[in-house]
Amino acid sequence: MRPASCEVVKTIEHTSRISTLFLQPAPEGIPRPGQFVMVWVRGEDEVPMAVSHYKDGVLGITVQSVGTTTERLCSMQEKDTVGVRGYYGNGFSLDASSAILIGGG
């Protein structure tokens, strides 16, 4: 599957090394909790990123700058573009009205 071109429509800088990018159009379909996308930064590499937000066709990924590709992602501004493939992974269902999610890696 070829990456679909997505435009950065909004960025939120949480810290100097962590940002959330909101991308549009999101890949076809609706992601399930626990799924991820492959994000391709032109001239760099393709990296797996967890879906941190999805609403009305806008996809959010939260990125920590730990290398050259994620550094480029964290420095992106509105109207920049990336390639996105996905959704990958099985995901899971949230049946409770409230949940706690703890992750690590």
Side-chain angles (χ1 to χ4, degrees):
M1 173 190 304
R2 294 180 59 106
S5 185
C6 295
E7 182 177 302
V8 177
V9 294
K10 180 180 176 182
T11 62
I12 298 175
E13 186 177 309
H14 303 289
T15 70
S16 62
R17 297 179 51 109
I18 300 173
S19 296
T20 297
L21 304 177
F22 294 90
L23 309 171
Q24 193 174 25
E28 203 171 301
I30 298 174
R32 295 181 60 197
Q35 289 191 302
F36 68 98
V37 292
M38 295 298 294
V39 179
W40 173 53
V41 178
R42 291 165 180 83
E44 287 291 337
D45 203 357
E46 186 176 50
V47 292
M49 302 303 298
V51 175
S52 62
H53 171 88
Y54 179 86
K55 185 175 181 183
D56 300 329
V58 177
L59 172 73
I61 57 171
T62 301
V63 183
Q64 180 176 357
S65 177
V66 294
T68 57
T69 303
T70 52
E71 183 179 334
R72 286 262 317 269
L73 281 169
C74 282
S75 68
M76 290 197 163
Q77 301 297 318
E78 290 181 19
K79 303 218 185 273
D80 288 340
T81 60
V82 295
V84 177
R85 294 187 299 126
Y87 305 101
Y88 296 108
N90 293 326
F92 55 88
S93 295
L94 290 176
D95 297 326
S97 61
S98 63
I100 296 175
L101 180 63
I102 301 172

